[in-house]
Amino acid sequence: AIRPSSTAEKQDAATEPASARELAVTSAAASLDAFGCTFILAPAMSVRISAEDALLLSAFAVADLSILVESECQVRGGDWQAVVPKLGPDARRVHAEENAGGASVISEALSMEVLCRLLGARLVCTELELRYFPAAGPITDY
């Protein structure tokens, strides 16, 4: 389950210890507008999205609406094990926690990183931490 970060959480960061503030600063996304696109820059990757989609995405996220956008993600570092330490804490948690099976650990961790960087989303619980009803029914994919 994922939720956007609230303004209050961002204000609370000022009262956190220095190490927590440093972590928050390193997980904040830097962006650059050029060539009709918005580029989200992060230590582990960069994401290119059209400037119009970026504007719509930010408006829809605040209004708690859904939108489909096209983007391009470029991972930096080549080797996946070199990329993991550069991910934010939520993406590292998705990578480290047991998942429901399959070969989706890397894509789930990168998806969490993109959601954190673009929307300020925060991981509340992983797919195996949710309680499902009925217990034998289908489950979410992270």
Side-chain angles (χ1 to χ4, degrees), residues 2-7 9-10 61-62 64 115 119-122 124:
I2 302 166
R3 66 179 172 82
S5 298
S6 69
T7 305
E9 286 174 338
K10 292 175 186 171
V62 172
D64 200 22
L115 291 170
L119 300 174
R122 304 294 304 166
V124 176

Side-chain angles (χ1 to χ4, degrees), residues 49 53-54 56-57 67-71 118:
I49 187 170
D53 283 350
L56 288 171
L57 188 61
I67 186 172
L68 177 65
V69 297
E70 181 180 341
S71 64
L118 289 177

Side-chain angles (χ1 to χ4, degrees), residues 44 76 79-88 91-92 95-96 106 109:
R76 298 180 192 161
D79 178 17
W80 174 245
Q81 294 308 317
V83 171
V84 172
K86 298 176 186 175
L87 297 173
R92 285 195 313 270
H95 180 262
I106 293 171

Side-chain angles (χ1 to χ4, degrees), residues 3 16 25-26 42 44 49 68 72 85 93 113 125 129:
R3 66 179 172 82
E16 293 176 353
V25 168
T26 58
I49 187 170
L68 177 65
E72 176 184 327
R93 181 172 161 211
E113 184 73 0
C125 57
E129 294 171 337

Side-chain angles (χ1 to χ4, degrees), residues 51-133:
E52 182 178 340
D53 283 350
L55 179 63
L56 288 171
L57 188 61
S58 63
F60 275 55
V62 172
D64 200 22
L65 299 171
S66 299
I67 186 172
L68 177 65
V69 297
E70 181 180 341
S71 64
E72 176 184 327
C73 180
Q74 301 258 333
V75 178
R76 298 180 192 161
D79 178 17
W80 174 245
Q81 294 308 317
V83 171
V84 172
K86 298 176 186 175
L87 297 173
D90 291 339
R92 285 195 313 270
R93 181 172 161 211
V94 167
H95 180 262
E97 298 280 327
E98 183 180 355
N99 79 348
S104 59
V105 174
I106 293 171
S107 65
E108 290 177 3
L110 279 177
S111 295
M112 185 71 246
E113 184 73 0
V114 168
L115 291 170
C116 286
R117 301 286 177 174
L118 289 177
L119 300 174
R122 304 294 304 166
L123 181 67
V124 176
C125 57
T126 62
E127 62 189 2
L128 294 180
E129 294 171 337
L130 291 171
R131 292 181 21 195
Y132 295 97
F133 181 83

Side-chain angles (χ1 to χ4, degrees), residues 13-26:
T15 61
E16 293 176 353
S19 59
R21 278 197 309 274
E22 289 167 9
L23 183 58
V25 168
T26 58

